[in-house]
Amino acid sequence: METTTCYEAVVPHWFYSKTQDGNSYWNPFSKEDSDKLEAAFCSGVNPNSIVIPVCGSRYDVYLGSRRRLSVYWDQEDSIVQRCTWFYKCDKDSRYIPYPENFSEILEDTYMQAVTRNEWKKRLESPSRDLIILHNPKLMVHYQPFGMTDEWGASPSEQGRPQTVKRGVENISVEIPQGEPAQIDHLVFMVHGIGPACDLQFRSIMQCVNDFRLVSLNLLHAHFKKSLEQGHIGRVEFLPVDWHSALHAHATGVDKDIQRITLPSICRLRQFTNETLLDLFFYNSPTYCQTIVNTVCGEMNRIYRLFLERNPTFKGRISVTGHSLGSLILFDLLTNQADPTGNTPLKTKASVQKSECQPNKQTLKDVLNELELAQFVDVFEREMMDIDALVLCSEQDLKNLGIPLGPSKKIVQYVKYGKHLQDTNCTASESSSNNDLTPPPLTSGTTLNMVNYEYFDVGMGQVRITYPQLSFNPEIFFAWGSPIGMFLTVRGLKRIDPKYQFPTCKRFFNIYHPFDPVAYRIEPMVLREEEFEPMLIPHHKGRKRMHLELREGLTRMGTDLLGSLRVAWQTFTRPPMPTLPPPTAEAAELPVSELPPAPEATPGAAAEDSTVKEEPIELDVGMLNGGQRFDYVLQEKPIESFNEYLFALQSHLCYWTSEDTALLFLKEIYQTMGVSMDQPLQ
């Protein structure tokens, strides 16, 4: 019998299982991770003692138990397998790997068939399925003859034989691109309301994984030169989950809410309890403290763990918040420790209590400060101290015989905690009771420095203790953010241009034009001007075609109207007086003695000013280091047909937005002095 020696051992590839929609899917590791696992498998070391970091060091594979465990967040363990043989599933045309031990049997049988040139080999799998190796290019998988499946179908009703493939290179599966080992920047991503982050009801972990994949693809497309030269590595994105801690059994809030929830329209009420109620929880002193502590604690915990696993990391850190998550980060960063004094920045309420509260003084001190020392005997006769003075109304002072002028001063002091002339603790003298404009912000004071006690009804952010981050963020990216609306509702009408976060240098407010939750913030700094936000370029360059077409038609219409206006003015304008030709004497006169030229008409001056109009320089403050920070995405052509239809999708589009991811990379690497291969137009 003729034998051949063309057999080559199969190259194994490592896979892990992933559960989605109740089904298990097998996903390949990158080639780099698979090679690491294979090298450890072949090392001869006891596999029970081998732990291999994979997937950008976000997971660990325990080789002995064949399990993949997440490092930074809680997630169900995945099964890991060394795969060589696969069969095609008729249900969704996916290739499923055979178990490792049966794959070894298949490989031995295949080797014998090749070396001896003996085919038509039959094998029975552990599940009693039949595999026949007809030839190297035709291998099939049959269900067992003479048996029925769980639905009672006969063999003739069980479909066609399934295809069997040897080696991962022969199946239609995409091997993911490996991630650079070098990490240049770390970004924490905080979600908004509810446990799901997109229309597919996926968790924050799954959405961040997608955003990380999008950024890696853009990195290879737009930073290819720097990547190949080793100047840059990659940006790591890690999720921060606070919803699970808020709705866990420890708080008991879900149980309490369920007891008072009506039984009708139960699904809608359940959706409301899991999502929209998070907005009310954040305005509650108890649960707001829980949310802020969770967000800050998770970022600090993940940051410490990240440094332990990446001891050579020398990059910087940024933060991202979506929807309510951006507001949480905004308040958290606003109340970080002042680097100059190394103490937390104080809100107006805390300033009033700690610095401006009258009960730190005696009654005599207060009256002396108000230049009302002559009334000390009146209050002492009534056995009043500073605590009693705080409880006095204007009518009480009148009953004590205090004149109108002094009583107004005392009421003003009690109401605002300081004399009118002390602008550090009260509004300016020009403010009235109906003026809701808070004191202006200055660098080194908190953004929510509003005199909430100035109003008859308490309003503004709840008073909680803000924890401190273990790092200073470089950039704060806000997605679909309601920050502007919340600040306005809290009573803040204007952000002082000099204000900036104590520990964060830059800020970006990114939103989709149809996002119903997003608000602008730049107009709160520059109230005098009407101006458009910055347009985020398309990741492939230029504007989207429908936007360019729309602008072209608008420009064409404007030019046409301008031409008609000029033509009409030409017919209706009186003739311009002409000057006589200069005489010889006039030619010899200096310029200062020449007769003045005729004045232009107002219409002509308006035309000249229109033609020579220069762009307006905008001062939007120091929130982003003096640069613009309101950035709007370009809507897709299909979205422009109906704004309302795509409103909800627009609020959830950021996790897969390539334009947003490229803006991230551009701004992050710009701080490192690295630019894109070709700037976008």
Side-chain angles (χ1 to χ4, degrees):
M1 179 181 298
E2 183 181 358
T3 61
T4 61
T5 58
C6 60
Y7 168 78
E8 293 182 2
V10 64
V11 178
H13 196 93
W14 291 75
F15 281 65
Y16 65 93
S17 66
K18 182 179 179 181
T19 303
Q20 184 177 352
D21 300 330
N23 299 320
S24 294
Y25 297 88
W26 287 94
N27 297 272
F29 285 102
S30 66
K31 186 178 184 306
E32 293 82 359
D33 288 341
S34 180
D35 291 344
K36 288 193 300 183
L37 292 170
E38 183 65 18
F41 176 80
C42 300
S43 64
V45 181
N46 183 7
N48 293 324
S49 62
I50 298 179
V51 180
I52 304 296
V54 296
C55 302
S57 192
R58 294 180 298 274
Y59 294 87
D60 283 335
V61 170
Y62 290 78
L63 204 60
S65 59
R66 295 291 198 274
R67 294 282 176 177
R68 188 191 73 146
L69 281 68
S70 60
V71 175
Y72 299 107
W73 56 85
D74 292 333
Q75 182 178 329
E76 185 179 356
D77 298 350
S78 301
I79 301 175
V80 175
Q81 185 171 307
R82 182 176 183 262
C83 303
T84 53
W85 285 76
F86 308 84
Y87 67 95
K88 191 174 184 180
C89 180
D90 289 336
K91 182 178 180 181
D92 48 14
S93 299
R94 291 180 295 109
Y95 280 94
I96 301 175
Y98 287 103
E100 288 188 37
N101 54 357
F102 186 68
S103 294
E104 294 178 0
I105 298 175
L106 282 171
E107 183 65 19
D108 291 339
T109 305
Y110 178 84
M111 180 183 63
Q112 295 176 14
V114 170
T115 56
R116 299 177 184 177
N117 198 23
E118 295 178 356
W119 294 97
K120 304 295 183 181
K121 297 285 187 179
R122 294 171 176 261
L123 296 92
E124 187 175 288
S125 70
S127 59
R128 300 189 63 184
D129 292 351
L130 181 65
I131 295 92
I132 302 178
L133 309 182
H134 292 282
N135 56 60
K137 295 183 179 180
L138 180 59
M139 296 174 284
V140 292
H141 180 126
Y142 293 93
Q143 290 186 349
F145 293 101
M147 296 185 61
T148 57
D149 61 12
E150 57 183 345
W151 299 98
S154 62
S156 60
E157 299 171 329
Q158 293 174 3
R160 297 178 301 174
Q162 299 166 340
T163 304
V164 176
K165 294 292 184 181
R166 174 179 178 266
V168 69
E169 66 276 2
N170 294 319
I171 65 175
S172 56
V173 62
E174 183 179 355
I175 306 297
Q177 196 171 24
E179 302 178 31
Q182 176 186 335
I183 299 177
D184 304 319
H185 205 93
L186 174 63
V187 180
F188 292 105
M189 311 191 82
V190 182
H191 64 85
I193 60 174
C197 295
D198 62 1
L199 292 177
Q200 301 177 21
F201 298 98
R202 297 186 304 166
S203 65
I204 175 68
M205 292 77 176
Q206 295 172 305
C207 291
V208 171
N209 287 340
D210 275 0
F211 191 83
R212 186 187 302 109
L213 181 60
V214 169
S215 69
L216 280 174
N217 294 334
L218 292 173
L219 197 66
H220 287 275
H222 295 275
F223 294 85
K224 186 176 181 180
K225 294 180 181 178
S226 300
L227 198 61
E228 291 178 348
Q229 295 172 2
H231 296 161
I232 63 174
R234 63 182 173 92
V235 179
E236 179 62 281
F237 298 91
L238 296 178
V240 178
D241 177 23
W242 56 265
H243 184 272
S244 300
L246 175 64
H247 294 267
H249 295 292
T251 61
V253 61
D254 284 357
K255 184 177 181 181
D256 295 337
I257 291 294
Q258 190 61 37
R259 292 172 60 188
I260 59 176
T261 301
L262 301 181
S264 58
I265 54 174
C266 57
R267 290 191 177 181
L268 180 58
R269 296 187 190 278
Q270 182 181 359
F271 172 79
T272 302
N273 293 345
E274 291 181 349
T275 55
L276 299 182
L277 282 186
D278 288 344
L279 293 172
F280 297 96
F281 289 144
Y282 189 67
N283 288 317
S284 162
T286 301
Y287 298 111
C288 180
Q289 187 73 64
T290 301
I291 293 173
V292 173
N293 287 347
T294 302
V295 171
C296 184
E298 275 294 288
M299 285 195 289
N300 288 340
R301 179 189 67 84
I302 296 174
Y303 178 61
R304 290 192 300 269
L305 189 56
F306 176 82
L307 292 182
E308 292 176 3
R309 298 179 64 85
N310 301 273
T312 60
F313 175 73
K314 301 298 181 183
R316 299 177 180 178
I317 303 97
S318 294
V319 293
T320 302
H322 175 237
S323 189
L324 180 61
S326 65
L327 179 64
I328 298 170
L329 288 176
F330 190 90
D331 292 339
L332 185 62
L333 293 178
T334 298
N335 291 276
Q336 289 302 289
D338 186 352
T340 58
N342 199 27
T343 55
L345 295 173
K346 300 177 180 179
T347 61
K348 184 64 181 180
S350 63
V351 171
Q352 289 175 335
K353 282 193 170 185
S354 60
E355 298 176 3
C356 309
Q357 205 166 20
N359 57 10
K360 287 190 173 183
Q361 301 170 297
T362 64
L363 177 61
K364 186 175 181 180
D365 293 336
V366 172
L367 295 177
N368 287 334
E369 182 179 352
L370 297 177
E371 299 179 354
L372 300 175
Q374 64 271 27
F375 297 103
V376 172
D377 295 339
V378 176
F379 289 102
E380 289 181 348
R381 186 169 58 251
E382 297 294 333
M383 302 179 64
M384 294 185 63
D385 56 9
I386 189 65
D387 294 331
L389 179 65
V390 173
L391 299 176
C392 287
S393 64
E394 189 172 350
Q395 183 62 38
D396 295 332
L397 296 175
K398 183 179 180 180
N399 295 337
L400 291 175
I402 306 298
L404 181 61
S407 65
K408 287 289 186 181
K409 289 185 177 182
I410 296 174
V411 169
Q412 182 74 20
Y413 183 91
V414 170
K415 192 171 185 180
Y416 299 117
K418 201 69 174 176
H419 192 263
L420 268 175
Q421 295 178 353
D422 191 347
T423 57
N424 290 330
C425 299
T426 65
S428 62
E429 291 184 75
S430 60
S431 299
S432 64
N433 287 341
N434 295 325
D435 184 12
L436 300 183
T437 304
L441 295 169
T442 58
S443 180
T445 60
T446 61
L447 191 60
N448 48 355
M449 183 177 175
V450 184
N451 190 350
Y452 297 124
E453 295 182 3
Y454 178 69
F455 309 109
D456 294 333
V457 179
M459 58 188 300
Q461 186 184 358
V462 295
R463 300 178 184 177
I464 63 171
T465 302
Y466 281 92
Q468 301 298 299
L469 293 169
S470 302
F471 55 89
N472 294 336
E474 179 73 16
I475 309 176
F476 169 28
F477 297 96
W479 289 351
S481 173
I483 292 174
M485 181 269 291
F486 269 84
L487 293 180
T488 302
V489 170
R490 291 172 180 175
L492 188 65
K493 287 193 173 182
R494 184 173 185 269
I495 300 175
D496 192 281
K498 298 180 181 179
Y499 177 78
Q500 57 185 342
F501 294 116
T503 60
C504 186
K505 299 178 182 178
R506 307 191 62 190
F507 169 66
F508 288 88
N509 180 36
I510 303 170
Y511 62 92
H512 190 283
F514 304 155
D515 189 341
V517 181
Y519 290 82
R520 293 190 62 186
I521 304 179
E522 286 180 344
M524 297 187 68
V525 180
L526 190 62
R527 296 173 58 89
E528 296 79 13
E529 300 287 345
E530 294 289 338
F531 56 98
E532 296 294 325
M534 297 293 290
L535 187 67
I536 299 178
H538 190 262
H539 67 280
K540 293 184 179 179
R542 302 183 62 85
K543 294 182 180 179
R544 295 184 185 270
M545 185 177 297
H546 70 287
L547 295 180
E548 289 191 345
L549 179 62
R550 182 191 305 169
E551 289 184 0
L553 293 175
T554 304
R555 192 182 305 109
M556 184 183 303
T558 304
D559 294 342
L560 179 61
L561 291 176
S563 301
L564 293 175
R565 184 174 65 251
V566 172
W568 175 257
Q569 291 175 349
T570 302
F571 285 111
T572 59
R573 185 182 304 160
M576 299 288 294
T578 59
L579 293 176
T583 61
E585 293 80 1
E588 295 178 357
L589 289 176
V591 176
S592 59
E593 298 181 9
L594 289 175
E599 296 183 359
T601 61
E607 292 175 12
D608 293 341
S609 63
T610 303
V611 173
K612 299 180 180 179
E613 184 178 1
E614 296 181 356
I616 302 176
E617 294 292 336
L618 298 176
D619 180 13
V620 293
M622 298 303 296
L623 268 177
N624 192 27
Q627 301 177 18
R628 299 286 302 275
F629 53 85
D630 275 353
Y631 279 76
V632 60
L633 290 165
Q634 302 180 35
E635 74 271 17
K636 298 178 181 179
I638 191 174
E639 294 174 341
S640 61
F641 287 107
N642 193 322
E643 300 178 1
Y644 297 94
L645 184 62
F646 294 94
L648 180 58
Q649 178 179 329
S650 300
H651 182 59
L652 304 173
C653 71
Y654 309 98
W655 300 105
T656 56
S657 171
E658 294 173 306
D659 299 347
T660 303
L662 186 57
L663 178 64
F664 268 53
L665 297 177
K666 174 179 173 292
E667 296 299 331
I668 286 174
Y669 281 111
Q670 185 177 350
T671 61
M672 301 171 55
V674 178
S675 58
M676 294 191 298
D677 296 340
Q678 293 182 353
L680 297 179
Q681 300 295 330

